[in-house]
Amino acid sequence: MVKAVKGVFVECDPATREVLLKLNEKDKFIIEDLDKTHLFINSTHLDRVKWALDELMNENYYKKEQPK
Amino acid sequence: MSSAAQQTLTTMGSEEEFRLTIAEYLESLPAQFIRRVFSNPAACLAIFRLLSTVGKQLIISMLYLDGPLGLHEMHQWAKPNHQRTVKAKIHQLRKLQILVEEEEKKKKENGTAEVVVSLNTVFRTQLRNALTGGGDFGSFGIVYRGPRDPRITQSWLARYAAERWESILHFMVGQSADVAPPSESVRGILKMSRLMDEGKPAAHGENENDNEDVNEAGSRGGLRITNSGFQFLLQDPVSQVWTVLLQYLRLAEMQDMDVVEVLNFLFQLVSLQPGQQYSTEALTRNQRRMLSELCDFGLLYLDGVAKRFYPTHLITSLTSGGSSAAATAATAAGSKTPGTASSTATAAAAAGGGGGGEMAVPSEAGYIILETNCRIYAYTSSPLQIAILNLFAHLVNRFPNFVTGALTRESIRGAISHGITADQIITFLTTNAHPQMHGKMPVLPTTVTDQVRLWERERNRLHPVHAHFYKDFNHKQEFER
């Protein structure tokens, strides 16, 4: 029987996909892992996922000390 | 239509594309409206000026032909490798209903009917009238025959217009502490065009500034700037005026004002000479109402007591093809000849001369220097320009006529989260670049432009699309179905 699931189809680069897979370990939001650059996730988690991704990017950024 | 136009507004930056929006609006009008618009010579001339060079060439070639011309022959006017451009322009003119196509049964060797085109008859007569000064003079504005008010000079008008326009932009940016908020009609237009809307609470925790904005917004009657508002701020003045006028047209439509009358009057205003006084005697009630509303924007100055008005350079430079900044008082006074009679020839020549003058000095308003290490130096003391720079740059020092800062990751990301795109930031910096920067090609250092684009892409690493997922197919056939 064919099942239809509604969600969000995400296209991203492989590095981001790995990050999303890691985030998935904490709260499950990936419905299906399609291939190296595409994922299918639950739509309710979309905003939170974007925010978490942003946070992670910020963590890795080194800010130069402002010369005073 | 407004949402489609809004979408095109958010992706646009240049003036040519704005003319296309006016074209879209004209195309969407039904046939008899168009005919009424064309029956006004000023409107024909204004539309003519708004077209591209190829379009103008096509129209001028056909203007004094009384009979129709074969479409085949028109295609032959173009060089072989530019045929496609010409065909596209012909198509565009057809959509605007300026060009009319018919099938004429001519006797050809193979007996097929040939397609012939001619200019719309009404358009043709009125454009001829506009160019030769025939027909009804009143359509180009009746000059006020009384004594001149000595206070109102060209430079006064330029200053007045600049001040009004800037106060509106200030209001949008939120620097309105010392400036009175603009009138109801202006606020109405800003709200309707979604450049500003009723304040709403901040969406993300990371944007702490939004909380302050909401508090400020409460004191300003609840209006907060939107994403498209930010993009509007970064455009050059002519595009901004066009946006406002288009919104005004839509507002007029919604209020059931006669759109054709409004359009005709707008086109008439666009062809006037700045600084020349015009009488309001012959105008209808609707037109007078338009005058007072447009006055709030600084597009003209209305002297209700003496029943006259003076258009400013903001509105007259709309069709004169100037590329970037509005003329400064010096340029305006210098390049326009003092008007005497209201003949159409003088109006066209002065506007053309003004257009030439404006195009010759694009860098007069340039004030930003951008270094390869992303530092910005801006020679300005205008609080508005500083506020606009603050939108996407991190400003560090401020001196009496000079501001320094840098484009940092935070500042650009902040701008992008407000909806400004990297392209707009880059276009803004290019158009306002200091003359010193114009020596090199490209104007801005590629390191900086690339870095801004990369920061933008960093935010958009995910491309979500709402979709349905089908699984557990029993055989391949089901899938193919």
Side-chain angles (χ1 to χ4, degrees):
Chain A
M1 187 49 212
V2 181
K3 290 208 195 100
V5 183
K6 193 164 157 193
V8 175
F9 177 67
V10 171
E11 186 183 331
C12 55
D13 51 297
T16 317
R17 177 175 159 272
E18 292 301 322
V19 170
L20 287 178
L21 284 175
K22 180 152 184 283
L23 279 175
N24 196 38
E25 282 161 27
K26 254 181 76 185
D27 313 282
K28 306 275 175 214
F29 55 83
I30 295 186
I31 301 177
E32 192 84 15
D33 180 3
L34 299 165
D35 64 15
K36 277 228 177 67
T37 49
H38 297 89
L39 290 174
F40 196 73
I41 67 174
N42 197 336
S43 45
T44 44
H45 287 96
L46 182 65
D47 285 328
R48 211 180 46 80
V49 164
K50 276 194 187 165
W51 190 73
L53 195 65
D54 227 18
E55 282 259 307
L56 206 66
M57 294 291 155
N58 275 333
E59 263 177 50
N60 288 328
Y61 173 66
Y62 167 68
K63 185 175 162 176
K64 185 174 73 129
E65 288 295 322
Q66 287 293 341
K68 281 288 178 234
Chain B
M1 188 190 81
S2 59
S3 57
Q6 194 71 31
Q7 211 171 17
T8 38
L9 271 175
T10 52
T11 51
M12 275 197 250
S14 78
E15 204 192 314
E16 289 81 32
E17 287 152 330
F18 261 92
R19 295 174 190 165
L20 286 181
T21 329
I22 276 277
E24 266 173 43
Y25 186 80
L26 288 171
E27 282 164 26
S28 67
L29 293 178
Q32 62 266 56
F33 276 32
I34 289 270
R35 210 174 316 131
R36 283 174 59 199
V37 172
F38 283 169
S39 58
N40 186 350
C44 293
L45 190 61
I47 296 176
F48 176 73
R49 283 219 204 107
L50 285 176
L51 297 170
S52 63
T53 346
V54 177
K56 284 183 191 159
Q57 183 71 6
L58 287 172
I59 292 185
I60 281 285
S61 319
M62 299 195 39
L63 187 57
Y64 282 96
L65 289 176
D66 279 321
L69 187 64
L71 190 61
H72 186 57
E73 288 170 36
M74 266 181 99
H75 287 161
Q76 286 184 335
W77 287 347
K79 282 189 182 166
N81 43 349
H82 293 293
Q83 285 252 349
R84 228 180 43 162
T85 336
V86 173
K87 283 192 185 151
K89 292 294 169 206
I90 295 180
H91 182 64
Q92 199 181 27
L93 289 177
R94 207 159 40 208
K95 280 203 296 189
L96 284 170
Q97 299 184 38
I98 294 178
L99 224 55
V100 170
E101 229 179 57
E102 294 136 7
E103 293 238 331
E104 201 178 272
K105 303 257 187 301
K106 279 178 73 165
K107 289 207 181 66
K108 288 183 68 153
E109 297 86 52
N110 43 7
T112 56
E114 196 187 315
V115 181
V116 289
V117 290
S118 53
L119 278 187
N120 185 323
T121 29
V122 182
F123 185 78
R124 187 186 350 177
T125 3
Q126 295 303 336
L127 191 57
R128 284 190 202 172
N129 277 341
L131 291 177
T132 56
D136 177 19
F137 278 113
S139 72
F140 275 96
I142 304 177
V143 176
Y144 181 77
R145 295 264 170 224
R148 267 197 87 97
D149 190 338
R151 286 180 313 147
I152 317 265
T153 60
Q154 290 261 19
S155 49
W156 187 91
L157 276 177
R159 230 182 14 248
Y160 169 77
E163 190 191 296
R164 277 253 114 118
W165 194 251
E166 279 197 11
S167 76
I168 295 179
L169 294 181
H170 265 287
F171 176 68
M172 288 179 74
V173 170
Q175 294 274 74
S176 60
D178 47 349
V179 169
S183 71
E184 260 317 304
S185 60
V186 171
R187 276 211 285 261
I189 289 196
L190 286 176
K191 207 154 49 167
M192 213 197 75
S193 56
R194 283 181 298 180
L195 292 176
M196 297 187 83
D197 59 18
E198 301 294 320
K200 42 185 198 280
H204 300 282
E206 55 185 13
N207 276 349
E208 285 149 7
N209 299 336
D210 282 6
N211 289 330
E212 293 161 18
D213 282 346
V214 169
N215 290 336
E216 265 183 48
S219 59
R220 275 179 298 151
L223 282 184
R224 262 194 70 203
I225 192 167
T226 62
N227 291 347
S228 17
F230 277 117
Q231 293 168 353
F232 175 78
L233 281 178
L234 289 184
Q235 286 163 355
D236 58 293
V238 178
S239 320
Q240 291 175 335
V241 177
W242 268 124
T243 321
V244 167
L245 283 181
L246 274 173
Q247 288 307 325
Y248 187 76
L249 273 175
R250 291 200 192 101
L251 188 71
E253 239 179 277
M254 281 179 13
Q255 291 178 348
D256 281 332
M257 271 168 55
D258 184 8
V259 178
V260 176
E261 200 185 336
V262 172
L263 251 186
N264 274 343
F265 191 53
L266 273 179
F267 283 136
Q268 192 182 331
L269 287 174
V270 162
S271 333
L272 296 178
Q273 269 182 302
Q276 176 72 276
Q277 47 191 3
Y278 291 92
S279 153
T280 58
E281 293 288 324
L283 301 177
T284 68
R285 199 170 55 95
N286 267 342
Q287 289 174 335
R288 278 183 223 194
R289 189 176 135 199
M290 274 180 66
L291 275 185
S292 56
E293 285 173 0
L294 291 177
C295 187
D296 288 326
F297 279 99
L299 296 177
L300 41 89
Y301 177 69
L302 181 63
D303 186 353
V305 172
K307 294 196 186 326
R308 57 190 169 178
F309 68 94
Y310 305 80
T312 62
H313 65 271
L314 276 182
I315 198 170
T316 53
S317 61
L318 283 181
T319 54
S320 49
S323 55
S324 63
T328 57
T331 334
S335 58
K336 311 271 193 280
T337 58
T340 48
S342 68
S343 76
T344 58
T346 353
E358 276 170 303
M359 280 179 69
V361 287
S363 48
E364 204 181 284
Y367 55 94
I368 300 181
I369 293 186
L370 181 62
E371 281 187 338
T372 50
N373 56 0
C374 297
R375 298 254 178 99
I376 287 198
Y377 304 93
Y379 287 89
T380 175
S381 46
S382 147
L384 177 67
Q385 286 171 340
I386 294 174
I388 292 181
L389 275 177
N390 207 19
L391 288 176
F392 58 83
H394 174 63
L395 297 180
V396 176
N397 293 316
R398 188 170 163 172
F399 301 95
N401 64 339
F402 183 53
V403 174
T404 65
L407 293 176
T408 62
R409 185 170 178 272
E410 279 81 29
S411 67
I412 296 280
R413 281 163 62 88
I416 292 178
S417 70
H418 278 136
I420 307 178
T421 66
D423 282 323
Q424 277 164 342
I425 297 178
I426 293 171
T427 323
F428 177 79
L429 288 172
T430 322
T431 44
N432 289 312
H434 197 271
Q436 217 176 5
M437 308 247 311
H438 283 288
K440 344 193 202 8
M441 199 42 131
V443 179
L444 298 177
T446 39
T447 46
V448 182
T449 51
D450 286 345
Q451 183 62 285
V452 172
R453 294 219 170 97
L454 278 175
W455 279 330
E456 180 192 33
R457 276 179 50 192
E458 203 180 54
R459 286 205 63 137
N460 300 334
R461 297 190 74 137
L462 292 181
H463 289 277
V465 174
H466 282 278
H468 286 79
F469 182 67
Y470 295 97
K471 63 181 182 178
D472 286 350
F473 289 96
N474 288 332
H475 358 268
K476 199 166 169 219
Q477 281 177 321
E478 274 186 43
F479 177 69
E480 256 141 50
R481 226 160 32 94

